[in-house]
Amino acid sequence: MNGDGFDDILVGAHYGEKVVINEGLAYVYHGSVTGPDTTLDWIHGSGQYGAEFGWAVAGNGDLNGDGFDDVVIGAPFYDAGQTDEGAVFVFLGSPLGLGQVPSMRLEKHQANARFGSSVAIPGDVNGDGFDDVLVGAAYYDDGQVNEGAAFLYHGNSNGLDSVPSWTFQSDQGNAYAYVHRIDDVNADGFADVMITSPLYDSGEVDEGKAFLFLGSASGPALTPQWTFDPDDNYSYLNAAASVGDVNADGYTDVIIGAWGFGPGIGTSVGDGGVFVFAGGPAGLSSSPTWTKQENGFGGSEYGFAAGPAGDVNGDGFADVIVGAHKWWNGQYQEGKCFVYPGSVNGVGSVPLWEQEMDQSYANYGRAATGDLDTNGDGIPEWLIGAYGYENGHSNEGGAFLYEYALETAIIDPATSPMERIGLDVIIGPRGAELVATGPEPFRLELIDIQGRVLQLQDFGSGTSRIHCGPVATGCYVVRVSNSSGTLVERFLIE
């Protein structure tokens, strides 16, 4: 947001209070060479009782084309002439970060519409050089009660148009509507649009449905190019996000979460499930390339949050993160999150990383996203929200940032014990020297952070060296493998 080259963190706290009760607050922590600042860099509230500003937040887009990321924040219970009509506030980035005065406030002037219950910056939908904004009004009425609607606002040199250029309605009573960022799934240069309707009936009760609209020079299409419903009662499909290129085929892939999917265990809904769809020149694949459920002991709401993790293990394939905020394993509704690896065959079924909160009612994993780099080391980080986390205050909530430890040996469970491989990285003025020692033949690879193999060489047993240089500054990954396993280590050339 301040153009210093480090990603920043935006967190919403919709029950926060700075002036009045439940006005809602949003917080910004700037990145730095040591990661996010430990002190708050920006805070803002609605100043209106019960508006719940920060219910939804979005960034990672430049609305006015000035080179700084901008922010949109939803306050779905804001009153500006109509009760609970909702509003969305736009803040523009600058060399000093976000200002204290919003550049504009968007409204739809319908009582109880809850405009701003979801917000997204999808990218540049019409190719005019300015990123655009999507706003969801979950309870909007236009022919059907609580059908929900989504509105697209184009960016411009001043920030954002005040009138939407495109509108979606679910056209089904009590189906609702939410907006999501999915980037450009068909790689045509236009960002695409995803809407979910979590209680949509399409053969099954409250299964939910996802709608994809492809971007173009004239904006999104009027009819969806692709739809998906899980064909399972009470699935409540409501999460959607681009996850990068999980199979490295050159197209962005999308994850969908349905937190009630599957057979229930002592409940009327299942534990939840997620589905990954492959991007391609025609849009998304007609059927999922990966489906996953996790047993969270009933009602874990696995898939309530689902999104990109980035290429956390540096193997050239994007990884995905999934949250199950009502998971329990010793503590009721503590929550749990999973990161799954991408591969040439798509997403793997065994998590790279998983974490529980170990605090009752923390709801860890209610929000989750990634592909951040707050410290500029080139290694993606991921951020997890715990809605009910307590650390001195009741239900204060917490946000937690993680980075994958690439130095950790990856051991094949089929072969144990692993034949040990010694690895040393010597950084000098002209690059780096990789020194590897193994008791049997092994392969040594140098990989950049985008996953491109820069050098590859096979060796016999003993000690071998590869000199790498001169190479550009940045983060690199070295991978040594033999028949027993793989050792991965990262290093930084400054």
Side-chain angles (χ1 to χ4, degrees):
M1 303 170 199
N2 60 351
D4 63 356
F6 301 99
D7 285 346
D8 307 315
I9 288 178
L10 171 67
V11 180
H14 63 96
Y15 286 145
E17 300 173 6
K18 185 179 179 182
V19 179
V20 294
I21 295 173
N22 293 350
E23 62 172 305
L25 297 174
Y27 306 84
V28 168
Y29 298 85
H30 288 154
S32 71
V33 70
T34 58
D37 290 345
T38 56
T39 57
L40 190 62
D41 292 297
W42 182 88
I43 183 172
H44 204 285
S46 70
Q48 184 182 101
Y49 175 85
E52 299 194 27
F53 177 90
W55 178 285
V57 300
N60 196 27
D62 183 4
L63 306 182
N64 61 349
D66 65 353
F68 299 96
D69 281 347
D70 307 313
V71 163
V72 290
I73 300 173
F77 298 96
Y78 193 87
D79 300 340
Q82 290 81 26
T83 301
D84 294 345
E85 60 176 297
V88 169
F89 298 78
V90 180
F91 297 87
L92 300 178
S94 76
L96 299 178
L98 302 181
Q100 279 298 316
V101 179
S103 66
M104 70 186 313
R105 188 181 75 199
L106 303 173
E107 306 166 30
K108 282 308 292 179
H109 307 297
Q110 184 183 100
N112 303 307
R114 299 189 190 178
F115 180 82
S117 47
S118 59
V119 293
I121 301 179
D124 186 0
V125 173
N126 61 344
D128 64 355
F130 302 100
D131 286 341
D132 307 313
V133 167
L134 280 168
V135 178
Y139 289 74
Y140 193 83
D141 302 338
D142 187 17
Q144 289 81 26
V145 175
N146 295 340
E147 61 179 302
F151 305 91
L152 177 71
Y153 297 84
H154 287 312
N156 61 46
S157 58
N158 295 318
L160 202 64
D161 292 349
S162 59
V163 177
S165 63
W166 179 89
T167 301
F168 164 90
Q169 296 172 9
S170 77
D171 294 328
Q172 188 177 105
N174 297 307
Y176 311 110
Y178 293 84
V179 301
H180 310 273
R181 177 179 179 134
I182 59 160
D183 297 322
D184 180 8
V185 300
N186 61 344
D188 65 352
F190 301 98
D192 305 315
V193 168
M194 180 74 78
I195 314 294
T196 60
S197 187
L199 272 67
Y200 197 93
D201 298 342
S202 185
E204 285 74 30
V205 178
D206 293 347
E207 58 179 313
K209 191 167 186 173
F211 304 82
L212 167 69
F213 299 86
L214 296 179
S216 71
S218 57
L222 296 178
T223 57
Q225 181 272 340
W226 173 97
T227 64
F228 170 72
D229 53 83
D231 292 329
D232 179 62
N233 290 324
Y234 309 111
S235 286
Y236 303 116
L237 183 158
N238 197 34
S242 60
V243 288
D245 189 359
V246 300
N247 59 353
D249 66 351
Y251 292 93
T252 294
D253 306 312
V254 168
I255 192 167
I256 302 288
W259 59 262
F261 181 79
I265 303 175
T267 65
S268 61
V269 298
D271 266 339
V274 292
F275 313 83
V276 170
F277 294 86
L284 294 179
S285 57
S286 58
S287 58
T289 58
W290 183 73
T291 300
K292 184 68 174 177
Q293 295 175 262
E294 291 280 359
N295 178 15
F297 306 100
S300 65
E301 299 195 5
Y302 176 85
F304 189 95
D311 180 11
V312 303
N313 60 349
D315 64 356
F317 302 96
D319 308 314
V320 303
I321 184 168
V322 180
H325 72 112
K326 290 188 177 180
W327 179 285
W328 63 275
N329 183 26
Q331 290 80 28
Y332 189 62
Q333 293 187 11
E334 57 179 302
K336 186 173 183 177
C337 282
F338 307 79
V339 172
Y340 299 93
S343 74
V344 68
N345 298 314
V347 184
S349 60
V350 178
L352 275 174
W353 175 93
E354 51 190 296
Q355 179 72 47
E356 301 175 18
M357 190 75 268
D358 294 328
Q359 184 185 102
S360 294
Y361 299 103
N363 290 117
Y364 176 81
R366 186 178 176 92
T369 191
D371 207 10
L372 299 164
D373 187 8
T374 63
N375 60 0
D377 67 354
I379 306 296
E381 304 145 3
W382 61 96
L383 185 68
I384 298 173
Y387 181 84
Y389 182 78
E390 297 181 353
N391 185 27
H393 305 277
S394 177
N395 296 328
E396 60 181 298
F400 302 84
L401 187 71
Y402 299 89
E403 185 175 271
Y404 191 64
L406 289 175
E407 303 86 1
T408 302
I410 304 171
I411 300 175
D412 183 354
T415 57
S416 182
M418 175 183 176
E419 294 285 349
R420 298 305 303 166
I421 303 172
L423 176 63
D424 192 19
V425 180
I426 303 171
I427 300 176
R430 293 188 303 150
E433 190 164 36
L434 313 180
V435 183
T437 304
E440 62 177 62
F442 59 90
R443 169 170 290 184
L444 188 62
E445 297 171 89
L446 175 67
I447 306 166
D448 69 13
I449 198 59
Q450 283 76 40
R452 295 172 295 201
V453 177
L454 304 180
Q455 290 185 249
L456 182 152
Q457 195 163 344
D458 292 315
F459 297 96
S461 60
T463 300
S464 300
R465 297 169 180 263
I466 290 183
H467 179 72
C468 311
V471 293
T473 59
C475 189
Y476 293 85
V477 174
V478 58
R479 181 164 57 201
V480 187
S481 55
N482 66 10
S483 62
S484 300
T486 302
L487 183 68
V488 181
E489 186 170 322
R490 70 181 182 195
F491 61 94
L492 186 67
I493 294 182
E494 298 179 309

